[in-house]
Amino acid sequence: GAVGLAQNFSAIRALATEGIQAGHMTLHARSVATAAGASPEIFDTVVERLIESGTIKIWKAREIVADVSVQSRPGEIGGGVKPLDAEGAKAGAGKIILFGEHSVVYGRHAIAAPVELAVQARVHDCEDGVHLVVPRWGVEYRLHQQHEKRRSFEKPAGMILDKLGLNDKAMRIEVYPNVPRAMGLGGSAATAVAIIRALDDHFDLGLTEERVNQLAFESEKVAHGHPSGIDNTVATFGQTLLYRKGEPSLMEELHIPHKIPLVIAMSGVESLTAKMVARVRSAWERNRDLYERIFDQIDALTLQGLKAMQDNDLQHLGELMNINQGLLNALQVSCWELEELIQIARENGAAGAKLTGGGGGGSIIAVCPDGTSNVVKAIREAGYQAMEVEIG
Ligand code: MEV
């Protein structure tokens, strides 16, 4: 009862302040999902699929609850539910960084791989205004036409529309993220790529892949300040890459002869890449020589890591990842939960483990030459989410 009243109240507020569209559809879908008995673990998925289906009705919600409950595997990232394949949607890939996060911002090499968790987006015509809807995150707002009046979370999508000359068109942009937010898995770049591709498709813009990547990079600059460009590049091309920023950037697709078994585990602590990049920058500004030497050491590890991947020497790869983690500690971008995950992974058979992405929270990766099951089990027993992936 209280939740229902609170929802009505916020719907009235949204009506009063932002007009009838804003906040309405997501709220309605949430009420319908509640009425259909969606449990907390599958609630966001049910809301998302209801909106995607275009039929926000209790019978539909019950069908979705039944379907999603069968698929759900607790402890797996994304609840173990099959990623949504929204009809007509376009995608951007998520990513993990194996070596070189942060130092890549300072012109050193990094290695990144796409993860199957992708973000999807699609565009529909609507009567007026630009509406951005992310059901899973309860986000639904009308974009302000004047960019100086946009709130920070509106800015990346707003910038894309401005650059494409579309901000006076009426549309609803729906975004379906399968990458958890702020978990170091490239969600913001994947979202940008998915939105750009959906706009390209809907308005028949004929964008090349290079242009998609370039626009996503511009969007990352709005979101992060000083991105290296690695996240948008993997989100666009979906390949395992050796990357170094520059004019032009080095983007070498890697051919890894044998599959490398990895575990991705999430700390559950949300962290903003922008904040961590800014923290490293201010430390670097205070002591450039010291930090440049750390970046050089990470660069050398990255190139050795590349060789270990190509030689399928997973013990050595793990050792190099552990040392990279030591240097990320030197940059002070780890946190208590990440360290716990790393220790659990190492104690349960991983040859090496490190944080991935911006750090300060987010996720870790662990390389598991003898199989991933013990590591996954131990991580889930400790109350974290984990997922098995293979790269190469
Ligand atoms: C974020 O995924 C990786 C960082 O190196 C930032 C960047 O490269 O833009 C921390």
Side-chain angles (χ1 to χ4, degrees):
V3 170
L5 285 171
Q7 284 179 340
N8 289 347
F9 184 61
S10 61
I12 293 166
R13 271 209 166 142
L15 263 173
T17 56
E18 296 182 35
I20 194 150
Q21 294 265 0
H24 183 69
M25 191 169 42
T26 314
L27 263 175
H28 182 46
R30 295 180 91 79
S31 301
V32 171
T34 308
S39 61
E41 306 81 59
I42 59 167
F43 188 79
D44 290 338
T45 305
V46 173
V47 170
E48 186 177 74
R49 293 196 181 184
L50 260 180
I51 292 180
E52 194 272 328
S53 74
T55 310
I56 307 179
K57 300 267 190 259
I58 297 212
W59 65 264
K60 183 72 186 171
R62 289 206 180 105
E63 258 180 38
I64 297 172
V65 167
D67 190 38
V68 168
S69 306
V70 174
Q71 290 173 23
S72 160
R73 289 187 301 278
E76 194 160 314
I77 294 175
V81 179
K82 239 186 13 248
L84 179 82
D85 204 2
E87 208 185 312
K90 299 288 155 196
K95 65 95 199 25
I96 48 174
I97 295 188
L98 285 112
F99 289 97
E101 47 276 273
H102 289 290
S103 51
V104 68
V105 175
Y106 299 82
R108 293 355 185 248
H109 293 90
I111 299 173
V115 288
E116 104 179 76
L117 298 170
V119 177
Q120 295 187 325
R122 65 183 182 186
V123 175
H124 294 284
D125 290 325
C126 73
E127 277 178 14
D128 86 309
V130 176
H131 301 267
L132 192 70
V133 186
V134 193
R136 183 169 283 273
W137 297 343
V139 168
E140 187 169 352
Y141 60 82
R142 185 182 172 143
L143 200 81
H144 217 291
Q145 285 224 319
Q146 289 161 285
H147 53 87
E148 60 287 356
K149 294 211 174 136
R150 289 179 190 148
R151 290 159 289 182
S152 60
F153 56 87
E154 291 177 48
K155 288 187 173 153
M159 191 281 309
I160 292 169
L161 289 166
D162 295 344
K163 289 252 175 202
L164 292 174
L166 297 172
N167 69 4
D168 58 347
K169 296 258 188 293
M171 69 184 96
R172 193 174 80 240
I173 305 174
E174 292 173 359
V175 180
Y176 299 101
N178 295 304
V179 181
R181 179 165 49 180
M183 281 298 135
L185 300 176
S188 70
T191 302
V193 168
I195 291 179
I196 296 163
R197 285 190 170 140
L199 291 167
D200 180 36
D201 184 55
H202 190 77
F203 294 103
D204 210 4
L205 303 173
L207 301 179
T208 60
E209 288 294 85
E210 282 67 30
R211 182 74 181 128
V212 171
N213 189 27
Q214 199 182 44
L215 280 165
F217 182 50
E218 295 298 320
S219 157
E220 284 287 275
K221 280 193 203 157
V222 176
H224 290 180
H226 292 281
S228 63
I230 192 167
D231 287 13
N232 48 280
T233 304
V234 179
T236 305
F237 296 103
Q239 291 163 344
T240 302
L241 291 175
L242 176 69
Y243 180 87
R244 195 182 58 214
K245 77 170 192 184
E247 295 289 338
S249 300
L250 169 79
M251 271 172 17
E252 195 180 307
E253 188 187 349
L254 298 181
H255 297 283
I256 313 293
H258 298 277
K259 297 245 179 250
I260 301 177
L262 292 173
V263 171
I264 304 176
M266 291 198 312
S267 68
V269 179
E270 290 195 0
S271 171
L272 291 178
T273 304
K275 195 169 132 202
M276 303 316 291
V277 170
R279 182 188 286 185
V280 174
R281 180 159 294 267
S282 74
W284 171 76
E285 272 162 2
R286 286 194 304 274
N287 203 337
R288 289 192 185 207
D289 284 351
L290 181 62
Y291 279 81
E292 287 291 333
R293 282 202 297 274
I294 298 175
F295 298 146
D296 283 340
Q297 289 185 38
I298 296 178
D299 194 46
L301 284 173
T302 304
L303 297 176
Q304 289 175 53
L306 173 62
K307 181 154 188 329
M309 285 165 82
Q310 283 165 340
D311 295 347
N312 198 34
D313 187 349
L314 300 189
Q315 286 300 338
H316 189 46
L317 181 68
E319 189 181 355
L320 295 167
M321 280 167 53
N322 287 336
I323 299 171
N324 192 166
Q325 175 63 19
L327 293 167
L328 287 162
N329 271 317
L331 299 178
Q332 300 147 62
V333 292
S334 192
C335 73
W336 194 93
E337 290 82 358
L338 291 174
E339 293 303 317
E340 184 180 14
L341 282 170
I342 289 167
Q343 289 310 325
I344 295 173
R346 288 177 188 162
E347 277 172 18
N348 285 279
K354 62 179 275 294
L355 69 84
T356 184
S363 304
I364 67 135
I365 50 170
V367 62
C368 305
D370 303 322
T372 49
S373 49
N374 286 350
V375 172
V376 165
K377 185 165 172 279
I379 286 174
R380 290 190 185 153
E381 275 169 10
Y384 295 100
Q385 286 189 307
M387 187 173 91
E388 292 151 296
V389 291
E390 278 183 332
I391 60 159

